[in-house]
Amino acid sequence: QVQLVESGGGLVQPGGSLRLSCAASTSIFRFVAMGWYRQAPGKQRELVAGITAGGTLNYADSVKGRFTISRDNTKNTLYLQMNSLKPEDTALYYCKAKLIGLRVEDYWGQGTPVTVSS
């Protein structure tokens, strides 16, 4: 069973930075794609940033130029560097990993909260 554990969330002032981490219980080489999603109160969960096994990146328009997704294969960890944070970035941030074996399997972490407020 794959486990994903996020960390790094917290309270930050507008304009500040945070780095989220997602530690996987297995080699992240197994995943065809990984990504960060977020869900704000009363809103649907949305993709923030994604990375494929081949290294292709994609970002939501709202975070382009401010957020950077990366991974450390030696640590089996996915990161999200968030700069120039805005109050509208406030949400619960989730890590997701997609594994393709006999079937497609999606795994989610438990989420880490990010609050941007003065």
Side-chain angles (χ1 to χ4, degrees):
Q1 182 71 11
V2 175
Q3 290 186 325
L4 303 173
V5 179
E6 302 99 331
S7 61
L11 173 64
V12 63
Q13 292 187 341
S17 298
L18 283 174
R19 188 176 80 155
L20 306 183
S21 299
C22 171
S25 61
T26 186
S27 171
I28 61 175
F29 280 116
R30 296 179 61 193
F31 303 128
V32 296
M34 298 186 76
W36 288 97
Y37 290 71
R38 67 186 180 188
Q39 186 166 19
K43 294 188 177 182
Q44 289 188 333
R45 192 173 297 189
E46 62 175 357
L47 174 67
V48 176
I51 182 168
T52 68
T56 300
L57 308 178
N58 67 292
Y59 295 94
D61 287 343
S62 59
V63 307
K64 283 181 180 176
R66 300 189 297 122
F67 291 10
T68 303
I69 188 171
S70 64
R71 65 188 181 203
D72 186 331
N73 296 331
T74 65
K75 296 181 179 179
N76 294 324
T77 301
L78 181 73
Y79 300 102
L80 184 68
Q81 178 66 44
M82 305 186 295
N83 298 327
S84 303
L85 283 161
K86 304 175 181 180
E88 51 264 43
D89 295 317
T90 295
L92 192 59
Y93 282 71
Y94 297 90
C95 173
K96 176 186 172 182
K98 182 177 294 291
L99 185 64
I100 297 180
L102 295 179
R103 61 184 186 276
V104 178
E105 296 173 278
D106 288 331
Y107 296 95
W108 292 89
Q110 81 290 349
T112 185
V114 172
T115 302
V116 184
S117 175
S118 55

